[in-house]
Each structure stands twice: as C-alpha cells, then as structure tokens.
Amino acid sequence: VPAPSNGATGSGNLFPYGQCTYWADTRYHLLHGVYVPWMTNSNAWQWTMRANEYHWNVSSTPTVGAIINLQGWTQGAGGYGHVAIVEKILPNGHVTTSNMNWGGGANVTYIEFAPGPGVTFITH
C-alpha cells in the first residue's frame, strides 16, 4: 500500500459528466475522500504528468482504488488516453476497472487491463 502523499487535493469535480475523467475523479473521491487537484491540462493522457506535478504517487504497480492511466492508443484507448479506477487485481496480474465513456456513453462499465508500457497507477 503506497504511503499517503503530501500532495494537493481538489475541492470538487469540474470534469464534464460522462467523460472518463469525470468518473475517475468521482469514484476516487467516493473511495478516498479526495478529488484530484488538476483541472487544466488534464486530458486523460496528461494525468500521470499532472499527478507528478501535484506530488501524488505514480507507480507501475496496481493497487485497488488507484486511478489507472492509459496513454493514448494504449490497450484500446483513443488519442486522449483513458483513466479509470482499479476495482480488483486479478490472479494473472491484470486489473478490473470501473470506467465511464469506454466505447462511448456515460454508463459505467467494467474492463480488464494489464499493467505494462503506457500504463500507470495514481494514488494520493
């Protein structure tokens, strides 16, 4: 379990409803009681860079409740990348994530991803 960071936290979720960024921020807040502090320059592919700037923890190892960040064109993500929340770590090391706007629309879906190139895990 990563140590809590001294990183800044946000005061609310300003991401557009229905986007993966909205869901990741909402679900992370539900699980941990904090919002991400980055609201500008924050397309999904930018979340790892922004997390580093705000002194959040970035890892290549998944933990339950972490934000998974897929860079653009990684494991089916589009050019803007994708963020979701790790809900479960599977025996094969892959993760089950809760997602919004994976394949379009504001429905929450559960998708399996694998740690690897272009994939990071963000925690406060």
Side-chain angles (χ1 to χ4, degrees), residues 2 6 9 13 18 31-32 37 40 43 45 51 64 67-68 70 72-73 78 88 92-93 98 100 102 107 110 118:
N6 293 321
T9 58
N13 186 343
L31 292 172
H32 305 287
T40 59
N43 287 312
W45 69 272
V64 172
I67 298 164
I68 184 173
L70 304 176
W73 314 116
K88 184 177 179 182
N92 65 1
S98 63
M100 193 172 268
W102 185 259
N107 296 323
Y110 295 86

Side-chain angles (χ1 to χ4, degrees), residues 5-99:
S5 77
N6 293 321
T9 58
S11 58
N13 186 343
L14 302 178
F15 293 103
Y17 178 79
Q19 296 300 311
C20 66
T21 49
Y22 171 87
W23 174 254
D25 201 20
T26 295
R27 180 74 175 135
Y28 196 83
H29 181 261
L30 287 171
L31 292 172
H32 305 287
V34 295
Y35 291 105
V36 301
W38 48 89
M39 292 292 138
T40 59
N41 300 319
S42 55
N43 287 312
W45 69 272
Q46 295 168 302
W47 277 40
T48 293
M49 173 188 67
R50 300 297 279 158
N52 281 318
E53 290 171 358
Y54 281 92
H55 306 289
W56 282 44
N57 299 302
V58 175
S59 176
S60 59
T61 304
T63 54
V64 172
I67 298 164
I68 184 173
N69 186 200
L70 304 176
Q71 292 302 298
W73 314 116
T74 299
Q75 296 187 44
Y80 288 109
H82 186 67
V83 287
I85 299 294
V86 176
E87 301 291 345
K88 184 177 179 182
I89 300 172
L90 302 172
N92 65 1
H94 294 187
V95 295
T96 300
T97 61
S98 63
N99 305 258

